[in-house]
Amino acid sequence: MKRRYRRLTAAALACMLLCSGCSGEKEEPEVYIDKNEPDVVITLFTQGENISEIINKCCSDVINPKTKGNIILYSDFADFYAEEGLSYRELLLKRMESGQADDLYIIPAEDVLEFDQKGFIYDLSGLDCISSLSEDALRQSPYKGKVFSVPLSYTGFGLIWNVDMLHQYQLEIPETLDEFWNVCDVLKQNGILPYGANKDFGLSVPAMCAGLGPLYQNPESEALTAALAKGETPVSTYMRDGFAFLQTMIDREYLDVERSLETLPGSDEEAAFFAEGKCAFISSLCRAAAFARDYPFAAEMTALPVLKEGPVCVVGADQRLAVNPNTEHLGEALAILENLCTTDTLNAFAGELGKVSSARGNEATTLPQAEKFVSCLASGGQIPNQDFTLPFNTWNTIKELCVELCEGADVEIVCREYDERQKEEIALYGDKDI
């Protein structure tokens, strides 16, 4: 993996950034700082530069001017998916275990259970800014009574369709499972690959929607998930249908297995494959960047039409900013969170990313191509990418098992494997009093 480094600084009176990092060796930033103010260096580890820049701006424009101190932000970032070397998650774990971890970091949903057990999470429930979060975003922030992070945006996973291609064969975007199978069948009969899946959520999101959709849309979902959390209900009770759905896609050749296992989500290769009309739809996060490419056809994003009752999607709090409980600068780290996570700042951040805000009201960037998707996202009853009332993993485990399916494993085999993982993780992470 190509690791990238960037140093961002902020000073109360004067601070000039003269250099920024790049691939390769680290270089110390050259800055001029007013020496009359005490300096506090805060370190941050993120996925990409966006968060570094907005936190730096928060320090320089908001926090430093109204305090006697001077916060200098030192930021390091890495890609979530690694083409070579270590991924963001692998690097984060190494940093946290090194004893010299960052003061602030972005915690992926799939690492919360392990990080809590290892004491890497600081409880943020006492912060005033928590009241700024929307109900949806706040629902995905607590684990075992702790608010483990503040999500800087809210997002969802859906499908982007080549509408012109569908119309060419007298088809419309499907809204139910039967309509979906018909669309895929007609496209396949005309020599078109229906689904340009990627190796990550491109495989797992359809499986999650088909498997867990009925669970979260059930009026008794709270009691049903409680039974899953206690191990009274095997997770395969629901996910068998999800894995079977993906297996059907594989068997009918509605996706190219070999190509899917070689395609990273959000990559240029994935976008180009779709743009060149080599498939009819792809999976995507709901964000402005999904439509930044100038497609030579009408494109529209929807939730997944994989249930008889209608579409459903996977949703998630995004860019979860957490505090290292062992930081020597706890007060400053918490001050950054308090000032960063106001309604206005969260709305502005979502606007920059082209995503839905995690603040109350869930303001969203205007995306005409995703109106149906945003409507579904706001309707409730959607699938959390990781449900933190469950002491076992959904998001990451389902991704891994979907890859196993594509590599030739049987549906019943992956179901048994998931049930075993459920038992093991409940024993490891579950409430021993249950």
Side-chain angles (χ1 to χ4, degrees):
M1 183 194 76
K2 294 181 180 178
R3 292 191 61 189
R4 298 172 294 172
Y5 301 90
R6 184 178 178 87
R7 279 90 178 109
L8 303 175
T9 62
L13 299 177
C15 174
M16 181 179 296
L17 181 61
L18 300 179
C19 70
S20 60
C22 57
S23 300
E25 297 297 322
K26 295 185 180 181
E27 295 179 2
E28 292 303 319
E30 298 175 21
V31 297
Y32 168 74
I33 301 172
D34 183 351
K35 297 301 182 181
N36 293 319
E37 301 290 350
D39 301 334
V40 176
V41 176
I42 296 293
T43 59
L44 168 71
F45 190 43
T46 71
Q47 303 162 23
E49 294 182 75
N50 302 75
I51 298 175
S52 299
E53 292 171 351
I54 198 168
I55 293 179
N56 176 63
K57 192 173 189 302
C58 181
C59 291
S60 62
D61 295 354
V62 180
I63 301 176
N64 286 338
K66 66 181 182 182
T67 65
K68 295 182 179 180
N70 180 64
I71 294 178
I72 302 172
L73 188 67
Y74 175 100
S75 179
D76 188 1
F77 61 92
D79 294 323
F80 188 83
Y81 302 102
E83 294 184 9
E84 57 183 70
L86 299 179
S87 66
Y88 175 83
R89 290 182 59 212
E90 293 168 321
L91 288 167
L92 176 62
L93 181 58
K94 285 182 175 293
R95 295 165 81 108
M96 297 300 290
E97 291 180 334
S98 71
Q100 298 178 332
D102 304 277
D103 301 305
L104 295 167
Y105 65 95
I106 298 298
I107 181 169
E110 49 266 55
D111 293 325
V112 172
L113 277 64
E114 179 181 0
F115 275 35
D116 178 70
Q117 185 188 54
K118 292 184 174 181
F120 296 159
I121 289 174
Y122 182 85
D123 184 7
L124 305 173
S125 57
L127 298 186
D128 292 339
C129 68
I130 298 303
S131 63
S132 299
L133 296 176
S134 69
E135 183 179 343
D136 291 332
L138 184 57
R139 186 180 294 116
Q140 294 198 23
S141 299
Y143 175 62
K144 290 188 175 181
K146 301 177 184 177
V147 175
F148 58 84
S149 69
V150 170
L152 299 181
S153 63
Y154 193 71
T155 192
F157 300 81
L159 300 176
I160 299 180
W161 300 83
N162 181 334
V163 179
D164 291 350
M165 179 180 287
L166 295 184
H167 289 173
Q168 183 179 347
Y169 297 99
Q170 291 74 54
L171 298 169
E172 298 293 336
I173 295 176
E175 296 185 358
T176 66
L177 179 60
D178 288 342
E179 291 176 0
F180 177 79
W181 289 136
N182 178 64
V183 166
C184 290
D185 191 48
V186 171
L187 292 169
K188 184 69 168 55
Q189 289 177 11
N190 284 276
I192 296 170
L193 179 71
Y195 185 31
N198 63 59
K199 68 179 293 185
D200 195 271
F201 59 78
L203 298 174
S204 60
V205 164
M208 289 182 74
C209 287
L212 299 180
L215 167 64
Y216 287 98
Q217 296 201 336
N218 191 310
E220 303 297 323
S221 63
E222 188 172 338
L224 295 174
T225 53
L228 281 171
K230 296 175 184 178
E232 297 171 352
T233 302
V235 67
S236 64
T237 303
Y238 302 100
M239 278 310 302
R240 178 174 283 101
D241 286 344
F243 294 135
F245 176 88
L246 180 59
Q247 188 63 58
T248 299
M249 294 283 289
I250 295 170
D251 292 343
R252 295 181 182 178
E253 298 181 339
Y254 291 160
L255 59 85
D256 183 332
V257 171
E258 184 176 344
R259 186 190 169 279
S260 297
L261 293 176
E262 296 175 349
T263 303
L264 289 175
S267 63
D268 289 340
E269 291 78 11
E270 180 182 39
F273 192 77
F274 180 55
E276 292 167 6
K278 295 180 179 178
C279 65
F281 57 95
I282 58 172
S283 55
S284 178
L285 278 164
C286 182
R287 54 182 178 176
F291 302 98
R293 183 179 290 268
D294 188 18
Y295 293 125
F297 47 76
E300 186 173 335
M301 184 174 187
T302 70
L304 284 81
V306 298
L307 302 179
K308 292 182 179 180
E309 299 79 8
V312 67
C313 63
V314 174
V315 297
D318 190 36
Q319 300 292 356
R320 296 172 164 96
L321 186 60
V323 173
N324 176 6
N326 300 312
T327 174
E328 296 179 359
H329 308 298
L330 182 61
E332 290 80 6
L334 295 178
I336 289 174
L337 274 177
E338 284 281 22
N339 286 277
L340 181 66
C341 300
T342 65
T343 299
D344 288 344
T345 304
L346 291 174
N347 287 344
F349 187 69
E352 285 188 27
L353 293 180
K355 294 184 179 179
V356 179
S357 174
S358 58
R360 291 186 178 276
N362 286 114
E363 287 188 10
T365 298
T366 301
L367 291 173
Q369 307 96 322
E371 286 182 357
K372 289 183 180 179
F373 179 84
V374 174
S375 176
C376 182
L377 181 149
S379 67
Q382 307 309 305
I383 305 161
N385 61 348
Q386 177 62 51
D387 186 339
F388 293 105
T389 67
L390 301 176
F392 61 90
N393 201 290
T394 52
W395 182 241
N396 203 52
T397 299
I398 293 172
K399 285 195 291 186
E400 292 175 354
L401 294 176
C402 286
V403 168
E404 290 186 20
L405 272 181
C406 286
E407 292 174 340
D410 181 81
V411 168
E412 287 305 315
I413 290 176
V414 297
C415 283
R416 287 197 296 271
E417 183 176 346
Y418 201 1
D419 288 343
E420 286 302 313
R421 291 199 196 188
Q422 177 192 14
K423 293 176 184 177
E424 292 170 0
E425 292 186 359
I426 288 175
L428 182 61
Y429 302 122
D431 188 339
K432 301 300 187 293
D433 296 329
I434 291 180

